[in-house]
Amino acid sequence: RQHQAETFFRCAVVAETEETDETVVGFICATRCTSFTHESMTSHVAGGQLLAIHSVVVREEYRRQGIATAMLKEYIEHVEEFNKKSNKYRSSSSPIQEIMLMAKANLLPFYISAGFQAH
């Protein structure tokens, strides 16, 4: 997915100290699709009007520190910026109409608090 839809693959990194390299602590990946089904999430449709989030992942030792919430906020801002550029420059990439995800029941409160709606 990272290679097929690299625009929609984002990582969160931290630098433990000034002397160490950055460490990837989480990522969000998604693909575009024309309909939102489990099957449609198996491939990337470059012009799809929907963005299907596949994964929101934070390394276990970094969980419950607000990282996933910050990642989702930044991710949504990234998609909004992508849409602005698509509209402004009339690029070959059409704007995304809706961001969707499938979530496990125990994670629904988290995603709802991040601004998503349960359907």
Side-chain angles (χ1 to χ4, degrees):
R1 291 182 188 137
Q2 182 179 1
H3 297 290
Q4 295 173 339
E6 66 184 60
T7 301
F8 306 108
F9 189 95
R10 309 282 288 177
C11 290
V13 297
V14 297
E16 300 297 334
T17 66
E18 289 183 23
E19 293 81 35
T20 62
D21 290 332
E22 294 177 330
T23 301
V24 175
V25 298
F27 68 88
I28 298 177
C29 69
T31 55
R32 295 182 75 163
C33 54
T34 55
S35 64
F36 189 65
T37 63
H38 203 288
E39 185 177 319
S40 70
M41 294 175 67
T42 62
S43 62
H44 176 64
V45 178
Q49 72 273 20
L50 304 176
L51 183 65
I53 294 179
H54 297 264
S55 302
V56 178
V57 179
V58 175
R59 287 176 59 160
E60 190 169 354
E61 63 267 32
Y62 290 93
R63 292 179 187 163
R64 302 208 175 271
Q65 298 177 34
I67 293 172
T69 301
M71 286 185 350
L72 278 169
K73 181 181 177 190
E74 188 280 333
Y75 195 88
I76 291 167
E77 290 171 359
H78 172 72
V79 171
E80 289 170 348
E81 189 61 33
F82 171 87
N83 280 346
K84 285 179 189 174
K85 288 179 181 176
S86 294
N87 286 328
K88 182 176 182 178
Y89 299 111
R90 306 227 188 272
S91 70
S92 59
S93 294
S94 58
I96 292 165
Q97 302 300 316
E98 192 169 8
I99 302 172
M100 307 182 93
L101 60 86
M102 289 183 190
K104 295 178 181 175
N106 65 315
L107 294 174
L108 283 177
F110 165 72
Y111 289 114
I112 290 170
S113 73
F116 288 87
Q117 298 176 351
H119 295 279

